[in-house]
Amino acid sequence: MPRTLIEPQSPIERLSILDSEGNLDTALEPKLSADDLKRLYRAMVLGRRLDERMLRLQRQGRIGTFAPIKGQEASQIGSVFTLKPTDWVVPSFRETASMLWRGWPIETLLSLYAGRLEGSSPGPEQRDLPVTIPVATQLPHAVGIAYGIQYRGEDAVVMTYFGDGATSEGDFHEACNFAGVWHVPVVFLCQNNQWAISVPIKKQTNSRTIAQKAIAYGFPGIQVDGNDVLAVYAASREAVERARAGEGPTLIECVTYRLGVHTTADDPTKYRTDEEVKAWEQKDPLTRFRAYLEKKNLLEPALEEQIDEEIVRGVERFEAMPQADPLGMFEHAYAELPPHLVAERAEMAARLAAPEGNGAPTEAEPTSPPMRGQRRTSRWQN
């Protein structure tokens, strides 16, 4: 019997409207008002400036570890801009710019990285889930919400964010499979920033694109220049409209680059070259969009100074917040605490209740030896 072609090969498109040299494809230029263009740029600058300020705060010990977004502002703002407040956003851990757009106050975002419960609490009217740290685990949640929307007949769409590393996880494939089978209104937005911590994309997948993975699940996929906010907007708008019309999910691969560290606990000089970073700096999403707006005479004077002042006020509100209750770490993980956590909670409560000095931990060397390959902290002699 001859071999037969089951179906024609599905091509994967790549969309770029404003290239890294600032050349505009006028035929594809979205019809956005001057006010919308200025809002997009302002949101991108706010994301970048807050990112820079958060890095300084972390180095000063005023917040904990976080994942910077520098270089990925266009992917986030170009996509989230297409949503209504009644739509849902399900983020991973590198969506600061998207979350700012959705109304998360600066002080709330900072409190998340200070280990406070408030940082994971969206406003009562916000249809957002909090940050998810385990890679790809948010994707089935997004599809579940989309299924609920479909079941109830609501007019809403879910947009969920993840990185290239998440596409190696089972959760990604399970979410895509369910979304394709049930035709739910979800947009999978992958920020392919080239590195899953220290693993390059070429070791993450043997596929030529991440977008083509959608073919296996029976829905559209598209690759866009993730540093081109106009292209991200155009692809996202199309995907959101498709989902809202009941035509099912879309996978968008935004090809971008994280110019900074994976997290503030990371040293990227150990696994990537300065030449690679400099090459991507030439494709900076803010630089090219600024040049585009300059040609249209839409740049606002003193914008960065206004944004810096907004960030200063946010940091002040964050640092004026009352101290978090250390016992809060025992809440919300279990309906009923297991016995060992009951004991730990009681011990901590006793220490907190003790007069100053009586309940404080001592500087005595711990009795348990370090695990194999683990160095003790600098408080004790290694």
Side-chain angles (χ1 to χ4, degrees), residues 72-350:
Q72 300 182 211
E73 296 87 353
S75 293
Q76 297 184 24
I77 297 302
S79 53
V80 76
F81 180 76
T82 62
L83 299 178
K84 298 178 180 178
T86 48
D87 293 327
W88 285 83
V89 167
V90 181
S92 63
F93 52 76
R94 200 188 301 280
E95 275 74 62
T96 306
S98 292
M99 295 175 77
L100 286 167
W101 181 273
R102 292 285 289 183
W104 289 75
I106 290 172
E107 60 271 26
T108 302
L109 293 176
L110 294 177
S111 70
L112 169 67
Y113 298 107
R116 303 179 62 103
L117 290 176
E118 295 90 333
S120 294
S121 300
E125 302 301 322
Q126 274 182 276
R127 288 190 155 190
D128 299 348
L129 263 56
V131 163
T132 303
I133 301 297
V135 174
T137 56
Q138 76 279 11
L139 302 181
H141 301 164
V143 174
I145 294 171
Y147 182 75
I149 289 169
Q150 183 189 64
Y151 182 78
R152 296 175 179 175
E154 295 179 356
D155 176 20
V157 171
V158 183
M159 181 172 286
T160 185
Y161 292 87
F162 53 100
D164 41 294
T167 64
S168 295
E169 298 285 345
D171 282 356
F172 167 76
H173 298 281
E174 291 161 12
C176 287
N177 189 57
F178 192 98
V181 169
W182 290 96
H183 232 52
V184 298
V186 61
V187 177
F188 296 99
L189 196 131
C190 176
Q191 296 182 83
N192 172 8
N193 67 13
Q194 311 302 314
W195 290 91
I197 309 183
S198 59
V199 178
I201 183 66
K202 64 183 178 184
K203 291 186 178 179
Q204 195 68 236
T205 180
N206 199 37
S207 298
R208 186 172 179 183
T209 69
I210 288 175
Q212 71 194 68
K213 295 178 186 293
I215 296 172
Y217 299 107
F219 55 81
I222 185 170
Q223 185 185 78
V224 302
D225 181 344
N227 285 7
D228 174 2
V229 69
L230 299 181
V232 176
Y233 163 75
S236 301
R237 183 189 60 188
E238 185 177 305
V240 168
E241 288 178 352
R242 182 183 301 120
R244 207 180 299 284
E247 297 175 12
T250 302
L251 170 60
I252 300 174
E253 176 191 2
C254 293
V255 179
T256 182
Y257 194 78
R258 63 168 163 84
L259 294 170
V261 296
H262 169 72
T263 71
T264 49
D266 170 53
D267 179 5
T269 64
K270 301 295 184 186
Y271 55 81
R272 67 184 190 187
T273 65
D274 290 342
E275 290 74 21
E276 178 183 304
V277 177
K278 288 176 182 175
W280 277 96
E281 285 176 343
Q282 301 303 313
K283 305 174 185 177
D284 190 311
L286 268 72
T287 304
R288 83 171 72 169
F289 194 44
R290 179 183 175 87
Y292 169 77
L293 295 183
E294 195 167 20
K295 291 176 184 175
K296 290 178 171 290
N297 197 29
L298 291 177
L299 288 178
E300 297 180 77
L303 176 64
E304 293 199 358
E305 288 79 0
Q306 296 170 22
I307 287 174
D308 286 346
E309 182 62 25
E310 181 180 341
I311 293 172
V312 167
R313 299 282 85 81
V315 173
E316 289 176 347
R317 290 192 295 273
F318 159 64
E319 297 196 315
M321 295 170 76
Q323 291 295 314
D325 179 4
L327 296 177
M329 73 173 79
F330 295 99
E331 306 294 333
H332 307 300
Y334 294 92
E336 293 184 14
L337 285 177
H340 69 284
L341 289 182
V342 171
E344 287 185 18
R345 189 185 189 287
E347 180 182 345
M348 175 169 280

